[in-house]
C-alpha cells in the first residue's frame, strides 16, 4: 500500500469523523446557527467535492460546490435576496472564465510530465499519484465514486459507454477510439461531481441529458461531419465539460 494512499485514507477518515462530531454537536444546539440534518449532510458532501476538485484542478466542480454551499447558507451569508438561478448562472460564468485563465489541461500536462520523470527515476507505481486506468472494450462500464480518476478508453469497435461518477472528479479520454458503427451512445449518471470528457473533433455529439441544477460546458469546436454520438443520462448538482481534441 503506497504512502500516498495512506495519506488519503487518513485525511478522509479524519474528515468524516470530524463531520460526524459536527453533526451531533449541531443537533445538541452547541452552535449558534442551527441547521437541519439534511443540510449538514449535504454540506459535508459538498465540502468533500470542493476539496477533491481543488486538489485536482477540477474548476467546474469547485465553483459549483461553492455555489451550492452559498445557496444552502444564503440567510447567514446575507445573500437571501439572490435567487438560486442567479448564483448558478454566476457559477457557470465563473467556471468558464477560470477554466480559460487557469487552463487545467495545461496543469494536468505539467503534473503528468513531472510524475513521469519521478516514475522513471524512482521506479515507483502509477497508483502513487492517482487512479489511472486504460480500458479496451467495445462496451465500456465505469463506476467511479469518492475519488479523482483518469480513464483512457482504447477501442477499435466502441459501441457504448456507461459512466457513473458520484462525489468525485473524472477525466475520460476517448481520443484513441474507433467506433463500431457510425453511431454510439455514451450514457452518463453523474452526481455531485466534476466530469471532463475528451472527444475527437470528428464526433458529432447530440446532447440529451436530464440536467438537474448542473452545467455543461464545451471547449473546442467539432468538425461539421463525422460519426454521431448520443450523450444520454442525467447529471445532478455537477459540472460537465466536453473537450474536443
Amino acid at each position: 500500500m503506497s504512502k500516498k494512499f495512506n495519506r488519503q485514507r487518513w485525511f478522509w477518515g479524519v474528515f468524516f469523523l470530524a463531520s460526524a462530531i459536527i453533526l451531533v454537536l449541531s443537533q445538541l444546539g452547541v452552535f449558534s446557527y442551527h441547521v437541519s440534518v439534511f443540510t449538514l449532510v449535504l454540506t459535508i458532501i459538498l465540502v468533500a467535492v470542493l476539496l477533491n476538485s481543488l486538489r485536482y484542478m477540477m474548476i467546474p466542480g469547485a465553483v459549483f460546490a461553492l455555489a451550492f454551499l452559498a445557496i444552502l447558507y444564503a440567510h447567514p451569508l446575507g445573500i437571501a435576496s439572490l435567487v438560486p438561478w442567479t448564483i448558478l448562472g454566476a457559477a457557470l460564468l465563473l467556471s468558464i472564465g477560470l477554466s480559460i485563465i487557469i487552463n487545467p489541461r495545461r496543469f494536468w500536462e505539467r503534473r503528468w510530465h513531472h510524475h513521469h520523470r519521478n516514475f522513471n527515476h524512482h521506479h515507483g507505481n502509477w497508483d502513487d499519484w492517482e487512479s489511472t486506468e486504460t480500458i479496451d472494450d467495445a462496451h465500456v462500464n465505469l463506476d467511479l465514486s469518492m475519488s479523482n480518476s483518469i480513464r483512457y478508453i482504447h477501442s477499435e469497435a466502441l459501441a457504448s459507454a456507461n459512466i457513473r461518477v458520484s462525489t468525485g472528479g473524472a477525466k475520460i479520454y476517448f481520443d484513441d477510439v474507433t467506433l463500431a458503427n457510425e453511431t454510439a451512445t455514451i450514457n452518463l449518471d453523474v452526481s455531485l461531481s466534476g466530469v471532463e470528457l475528451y472527444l475527437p473533433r470528428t464526433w458529432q455529439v447530440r446532447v440529451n441529458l436530464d440536467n438537474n441544477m448542473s452545467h455543461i460546458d464545451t471547449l473546442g469546436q467539432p468538425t461539421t461531419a463525422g460519426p454521431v454520438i448520443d450523450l444520454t443520462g442525467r447529471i445532478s448538482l455537477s459540472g460537465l465539460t466536453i473537450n474536443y481534441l
Side-chain angles (χ1 to χ4, degrees), residues 63 98 102 150 155 160 166 168 201 212:
V63 171
L98 289 173
I102 298 175
I150 295 179
S155 177
S160 66
S166 176
R201 288 182 182 273
N212 180 23

Side-chain angles (χ1 to χ4, degrees), residues 133 135 139-145 150-153 161-165 170-174 187 189 197:
E133 185 178 350
I135 299 169
H139 299 278
V140 174
N141 291 287
L142 298 179
D143 192 348
L144 310 170
S145 62
I150 295 179
R151 295 294 182 266
Y152 298 96
I153 311 301
N162 293 298
I163 301 169
R164 179 181 177 274
V165 185
K171 292 175 179 284
I172 304 170
Y173 289 81
F174 289 88
N187 186 69
D189 183 0
L197 300 179

Side-chain angles (χ1 to χ4, degrees), residues 13-79:
V14 172
F15 174 82
F16 282 104
L17 286 175
S19 299
I21 293 172
I22 293 172
L23 175 60
V24 173
L25 292 179
S26 69
Q27 298 308 301
L28 292 175
V30 174
F31 302 123
S32 58
Y33 180 73
H34 180 75
V35 296
S36 66
V37 174
F38 173 79
T39 299
L40 193 55
V41 170
L42 188 54
T43 299
I44 293 169
I45 294 173
L46 288 170
V47 170
V49 172
L50 175 63
L51 294 175
N52 261 331
S53 299
L54 289 175
R55 181 181 178 190
Y56 290 94
M57 293 297 289
M58 301 286 189
I59 300 300
V63 171
F64 272 82
L66 288 173
F68 289 121
L69 286 170
I71 293 172
L72 285 177
Y73 295 96
H75 285 286
L77 291 173
I79 56 173

Side-chain angles (χ1 to χ4, degrees), residues 1-11 127-128:
M1 185 178 295
S2 67
K3 293 181 180 179
K4 180 81 168 184
F5 179 80
N6 279 328
R7 290 196 298 269
Q8 291 180 345
R9 185 184 66 182
W10 275 100
F11 172 81
D127 292 336
D128 291 346

